[in-house]
Amino acid sequence: MPDAPDGRPRPADQWRHRGIRGLTVTRDVSVRGWRWWARNWDRLVAALQDEAPVGSAADPSPSGPLVEQRDAPRLITVPARGYVYAFHIRATFAWSSPVSLRSEVLSWYVQYFQPTSVQRLTRLAADAARDLPPHRAGDLEVALQQALADDPEWTYERGDVVITCRPDAAVRLDERIMPALQPHVDRMLKLEYQFDEQLRRARYAEELSRQWTTILSAHGEDQDIADARDHLLDTQREAARWITDLLHHHADPPSAPLTPTPTPPHQRPTPT
């Protein structure tokens, strides 16, 4: 068909060229799309089946089930006895599944179930802390560890997927109570050192007395030596009783009233 007098293509030719160009572009896009699907079809199927991708670029599968360690987003706070002070608990959860899951799938389930685990641990801590004074953080941690040892693995299910959780907890004191406890702790450290020093001296004196008793027993025919031996034996028995009394007083709980420390045998007045 000849062109228009001004040299431009007639409208019919323009529409025909545009149609041919559109068909060509559509064909090229279809071919590129088909090639993309052919390259990535196996990866897409593997992702939908929750399996590792197949191919030379696939990452090696880890041996054994995945375990994801996740801390609670914030400290768990439960009130102590009296509801004035509180205990603060740092919680950690180890998540895993008996079946093989991809890391991102396991992370999704961890994100879904962790609030439930935090609530469960909070209830356990609140029950254990309700009757404890605010300075007994160690007792609360022992109680929590015992409760978790009795039920170490928590199980959650969603559909056919089973997720297990192993919680752990560490307890901290309320910062407001630390200044009040500092003098008491310093005094207890001083008493502990004094007790260790007295016990060490007592055991050394007892051992020395036993050695002298053995030496004097080898010369028991002399009355003066026999009297000295008997005196050492009496002193040794008295030292043994004193050590026993010292250990008994040391075993008293810290909340009990302080009792006078037994006087060492060598410091007691001897009858004339």
Side-chain angles (χ1 to χ4, degrees):
M1 180 178 296
D3 295 338
D6 57 359
R8 292 180 301 175
R10 295 179 180 275
D13 293 337
Q14 292 179 358
W15 285 108
R16 184 168 55 251
H17 289 316
R18 291 176 181 176
I20 292 173
R21 189 182 306 112
L23 290 175
T24 303
V25 172
T26 303
R27 183 198 61 187
D28 294 342
V29 170
S30 299
V31 170
R32 287 196 298 270
W34 173 255
R35 289 175 179 173
W36 184 90
W37 278 106
R39 288 195 305 268
N40 296 279
W41 177 257
D42 291 338
R43 295 178 179 272
L44 180 62
V45 171
L48 294 176
Q49 293 179 348
D50 194 28
E51 296 177 356
V54 179
S56 58
D59 296 331
S61 300
S63 59
L66 289 175
V67 177
E68 181 168 335
Q69 200 85 4
R70 187 78 66 92
D71 293 335
R74 62 187 62 85
L75 294 177
I76 298 174
T77 301
V78 293
R81 188 174 65 191
Y83 289 81
V84 176
Y85 297 101
F87 296 107
H88 303 288
I89 302 163
R90 182 180 181 274
T92 304
F93 304 90
W95 296 89
S96 61
S97 175
V99 299
S100 177
L101 293 179
R102 293 167 59 87
S103 60
E104 55 268 24
V105 176
L106 180 61
S107 296
W108 187 89
Y109 282 106
V110 170
Q111 190 73 20
Y112 182 82
F113 286 118
Q114 178 136 325
T116 305
S117 297
V118 171
Q119 292 178 1
R120 183 172 178 179
L121 185 60
T122 302
R123 288 195 297 268
L124 284 175
D127 291 341
R130 187 173 294 113
D131 297 326
L132 288 176
H135 66 280
R136 301 275 292 277
D139 292 344
L140 176 59
E141 184 167 325
V142 169
L144 271 180
Q145 294 294 342
Q146 183 60 48
L148 296 179
D150 295 338
D151 187 13
E153 193 171 81
W154 299 348
T155 303
Y156 302 94
E157 297 182 9
R158 180 177 172 85
D160 297 333
V161 178
V162 178
I163 302 294
T164 58
C165 167
R166 288 184 172 270
D168 191 21
V171 183
R172 298 179 181 176
L173 279 174
D174 194 325
E175 292 183 357
R176 297 172 298 169
I177 201 173
M178 290 183 181
L181 286 179
Q182 187 69 39
H184 175 72
V185 173
D186 292 342
R187 182 167 178 267
M188 292 300 296
L189 288 175
K190 183 178 180 180
L191 292 176
E192 191 78 20
Y193 172 77
Q194 291 176 352
F195 168 79
D196 292 339
E197 183 69 18
Q198 290 180 354
L199 189 60
R200 184 165 53 252
R201 290 180 179 180
R203 286 174 174 168
Y204 174 75
E206 184 183 12
E207 179 63 26
L208 186 61
S209 175
R210 185 180 298 109
Q211 292 176 4
W212 273 109
T213 301
T214 303
I215 294 173
L216 294 177
S217 296
H219 304 82
E221 64 279 357
D222 191 325
Q223 185 61 39
D224 292 337
I225 295 179
D227 293 341
R229 181 195 58 196
D230 294 339
H231 176 70
L232 280 176
L233 288 174
D234 293 339
T235 305
Q236 182 178 340
R237 285 190 291 267
E238 187 178 0
R241 286 195 300 269
W242 177 72
I243 293 176
T244 303
D245 292 341
L246 193 66
L247 292 174
H248 174 72
H249 285 284
H250 183 69
D252 289 341
S255 57
L258 293 176
T259 55
T261 304
T263 307
H266 65 278
Q267 295 181 2
R268 298 178 183 173
T270 54
T272 57

